[in-house]
Amino acid sequence: GHVLSSVDLCDASIDSKAILCLKPHVSLGLETLDLTSTQLCDEGLAYLVGMLESSPTPICQTLKLKHCQITEIGGLCLQLSKLTALTELDLSHNCLGSDGARRLANVLPKSHLLRIDLRGSDLSSEGVDALKFALGDAKLVEELWVDAMEVGFDNVGRAPVNLRTDDIDAFRSAM
């Protein structure tokens, strides 16, 4: 049969349980899974993490979970070191807060992530500080994007900042 390399469900009207329909494709391996602006929520993320975890092959290089109403990433964080193929993670515009930032910071050095987008995720300065500290041991991470105002650059508003370099420049659309 045909194996999908990319699934784009951006703006699809799916709920947390509908994510289970992806299981056959996820277990065969996907390069990109885009669930941007779906109503995945925390329950759907838990289902997704279970599928990624149980896959017999390394899967999903790029996982886009922008605007998915996610508030709890503990389960995802627990699996990040095991998801060896995952190199790009977009969790932007979810309500992760400082707790989510700290959870991610704790596992960042053990992950294989190269690019992470956390813009618009209400990380707080404490959460951003935890991420900055984790970058010292997370040698693979090339880009970790947050809002400039969370780093203390008040005059540039929500402009993206790469914490790896502290550069305020145009966000690379590679995510």
Side-chain angles (χ1 to χ4, degrees):
H2 181 68
V3 177
L4 297 174
S5 64
S6 179
V7 172
D8 183 347
L9 295 173
C10 183
D11 294 318
S13 294
I14 62 170
D15 62 13
S16 58
K17 291 200 171 145
I19 199 74
L20 295 172
C21 297
L22 292 174
K23 189 166 186 160
H25 304 292
V26 169
S27 63
L28 293 173
L30 282 176
E31 290 178 15
T32 301
L33 179 56
D34 187 350
L35 297 171
T36 297
S37 296
T38 59
Q39 295 183 1
L40 186 66
C41 302
D42 296 335
E43 182 183 17
L45 181 60
Y47 290 138
L48 178 61
V49 168
M51 284 189 287
L52 295 174
E53 175 185 28
S54 64
S55 175
T57 57
I59 53 164
C60 206
Q61 295 172 345
T62 302
L63 183 56
K64 296 181 180 185
L65 302 173
K66 178 179 183 177
H67 285 289
C68 285
Q69 302 174 15
I70 295 169
T71 61
E72 173 54 50
I73 60 170
L76 176 62
C77 288
L78 288 173
Q79 296 305 318
L80 277 179
S81 64
K82 298 173 190 166
L83 300 175
T84 57
L86 187 62
T87 58
E88 295 186 35
L89 179 62
D90 184 348
L91 286 167
S92 63
H93 303 284
N94 287 290
C95 295
L96 306 179
S98 59
D99 187 51
R102 281 192 296 274
R103 286 177 183 236
L104 185 58
N106 287 336
V107 297
L108 208 53
K110 298 176 208 122
S111 79
H112 297 84
L113 293 171
L114 301 175
R115 284 174 280 293
I116 307 156
D117 186 358
L118 299 174
R119 293 173 301 133
S121 296
D122 301 319
L123 302 177
S124 81
S125 59
E126 294 83 15
V128 170
D129 287 346
L131 289 165
K132 279 180 147 181
F133 184 76
L135 283 175
D137 294 325
K139 303 298 183 199
L140 292 177
V141 177
E142 297 170 358
E143 299 174 15
L144 200 165
W145 295 94
V146 299
D147 290 330
M149 63 187 181
E150 291 178 332
V151 187
F153 296 107
D154 295 327
N155 58 337
V156 291
R158 296 187 83 79
V161 174
N162 181 357
L163 287 184
R164 172 58 83 195
T165 60
D166 278 335
D167 285 341
I168 301 176
D169 59 7
F171 179 70
R172 295 181 215 171
S173 59
M175 293 287 304

